Amino acid sequence: MTRTIVESKTKTAIIGFDEPFCVIGERINPTGRKILAAELEQGDFSRVEADAIAQTAAGANILDVNSGAVFSNKMAEDPRYADNNFVEPPLMKELIERVQAVVDTPLCIDSSVPGALENGLAAAEGRPLLNSVTGEEERLELVLPLVKKYNVPVVAISNDDTGISEDPDVRFAVAKKIVERAADFGIPAHDIVVDPLVMPIGAMATAGLQVFTLVRRLRDELGVNTTCGASNISFGLPNRHGVNNAFLPMAMEAGMTSAIMNPIALPVGPKKIAEKKAEIAAAGIILPEDIDDELFVTLFGMGSTKAKAGSEMEAIRAANFLTDNDPSGADWIKFNRAPVKAGEGRARTGRRRRG
């Protein structure tokens, strides 16, 4: 059975056909996160460290580390900052070192800049996953030698010089090309994790069926593990969690073995709490003045004031249980066990005290 081994200094994550679904946490990525990008520009890595800790606590098996930041203020002062080849290599090294200092979760090094990939590989302890290579000739010639040099697995994205095809047969052909070219470098198929590219179901009604069919072909014909950007399927739709929660177990059943996703249900902030309290007050409902924020958001179904594992993680763990990748449901039970409150202890079991 195909197994892709990803390691930190002390932990191993296995992506495999007969393994529990592997969750690759996506939060350490400044793309589209203006606050995070601004903090990184100032040399503030506190949010990165907090995201690493929270995703690990929520159950992420691997953490994706993306260095694609745009430093607008520095760019105005120094034109070199307009070049990702200048910005990303030192930033990636710092990100990897900061994350490794607070968690021992295996890492996925994510960049389109070869220098950033190599800096990340040099800084990473263990055997990280490299994200990514495409079917473009220039990209193959740049990335595959790095994969071979550092003996690491790589994410292969099913697009090439012609772009992303809506035809699943074309995307399969690109994946096959990458696997064959990797073999030329001595890179085995079990070290290739193919991303068949999930299209938004809101834009293409057959997107779900397409990816399920593609995943089966990739598993049966090429013998490779697979991954995807899990939230792509629900892009532009309301109640995205509902769509994601249905998609992930179905993709798992089709043979998908991992996903790059957010494992966290983000906490409810003070602004939303204040807005909800104002709405309740306007309706004439009187609340205790000293009501605890966590109790308040729980009572009104708003979530939690703390970062917790998201509903997608619940769907994945349930699917692991149902497909016998969680023997006896031990992981499911642990995931759903209520946390011990301060001052309380677990009921004692097992040995009796000897008299």
Side-chain angles (χ1 to χ4, degrees):
M1 301 296 282
T2 298
R3 289 185 175 89
T4 304
I5 307 298
V6 185
E7 296 175 318
S8 67
K9 187 176 181 179
T10 59
K11 284 188 175 180
T12 298
I14 303 176
I15 306 173
F17 297 166
D18 58 347
E19 297 289 332
F21 194 75
C22 184
V23 174
I24 304 171
E26 69 179 9
R27 294 281 298 164
I28 304 173
N29 185 344
T31 306
R33 297 184 67 189
K34 292 182 179 179
I35 294 175
L36 176 58
E39 289 174 348
L40 293 178
E41 187 170 13
Q42 297 299 317
D44 179 0
F45 292 84
S46 58
R47 192 178 300 269
V48 168
E49 293 165 348
D51 279 342
I53 292 168
Q55 288 183 105
T56 298
N61 308 105
I62 298 171
L63 298 180
D64 188 86
V65 180
N66 184 296
S67 57
V70 175
F71 292 165
S72 300
N73 293 326
K74 287 186 176 181
M75 196 186 303
E77 301 168 1
D78 185 339
R80 291 179 300 172
Y81 282 93
D83 183 1
N84 280 4
N85 292 287
F86 177 78
V87 174
E88 291 199 40
L91 177 60
M92 178 63 82
K93 180 178 183 293
E94 182 78 4
L95 287 168
I96 295 292
E97 291 173 347
R98 294 284 186 147
V99 171
Q100 287 179 156
V102 294
V103 296
D104 57 355
T105 311
L107 301 181
C108 176
I109 300 167
D110 187 355
S111 177
S112 60
V113 175
L117 293 178
E118 183 143 31
N119 269 16
L121 287 166
E125 298 172 334
R127 189 175 196 251
L129 177 63
L130 200 65
N131 189 9
S132 59
V133 67
T134 65
E136 297 165 296
E137 287 299 326
E138 182 180 1
R139 189 74 178 167
L140 289 166
E141 293 298 325
L142 286 171
V143 177
L144 291 181
L146 285 177
V147 174
K148 179 62 178 177
K149 176 182 176 181
Y150 287 92
N151 184 29
V152 294
V154 64
V155 174
I157 301 178
S158 297
N159 70 281
D160 59 12
D161 306 81
T162 63
I164 301 173
S165 174
E166 292 188 0
D167 184 340
D169 290 334
V170 172
R171 300 209 300 278
F172 177 84
V174 174
K176 184 177 180 182
K177 171 188 173 181
I178 297 171
V179 172
E180 290 172 347
R181 289 293 299 278
D184 292 340
F185 283 84
I187 301 163
H190 65 250
D191 275 340
I192 309 292
V193 182
V194 173
D195 181 348
L197 294 171
V198 176
M199 305 293 187
I201 191 72
M204 181 186 295
T206 59
L209 294 173
Q210 272 196 11
V211 77
F212 302 150
T213 300
L214 257 175
V215 166
R216 291 187 185 98
R217 287 192 68 190
L218 290 164
R219 173 174 174 154
D220 295 342
E221 298 180 37
L222 299 184
V224 293
N225 282 306
T226 45
T227 195
C228 71
S231 64
N232 290 355
I233 193 70
S234 62
F235 182 78
L237 294 176
N239 188 16
R240 296 184 66 184
H241 294 294
V243 177
N244 296 344
N245 291 347
F247 169 75
L248 283 163
M250 294 174 75
M252 292 166 67
E253 178 57 26
M256 188 170 284
T257 47
S258 69
I260 301 171
M261 55 180 281
N262 179 11
I264 301 169
L266 297 179
V268 182
K271 182 179 178 180
K272 286 190 176 180
I273 292 173
E275 289 173 351
K276 187 66 176 179
K277 285 183 176 179
E279 178 187 324
I280 290 168
I285 300 172
I286 300 173
L287 295 170
E289 291 184 3
D290 60 348
I291 188 169
D292 176 77
D293 281 348
E294 180 65 16
L295 175 60
F296 175 80
V297 298
T298 301
L299 286 174
F300 289 92
M302 298 174 66
S304 174
T305 58
K306 304 168 186 175
K308 294 183 177 181
S311 58
E312 286 88 346
M313 293 298 291
E314 183 176 2
I316 287 168
R317 290 176 188 269
N320 280 334
F321 188 13
L322 291 167
T323 55
D324 200 28
N325 280 314
D326 177 15
S328 305
D331 193 46
W332 174 255
I333 292 167
K334 180 181 177 182
F335 178 75
N336 285 282
R337 183 179 289 129
V340 177
K341 295 180 181 179
E344 295 181 0
R346 298 266 185 220
R348 292 183 179 178
T349 59
R351 297 179 184 172
R352 295 179 180 175
R353 187 187 302 172
R354 293 182 179 179

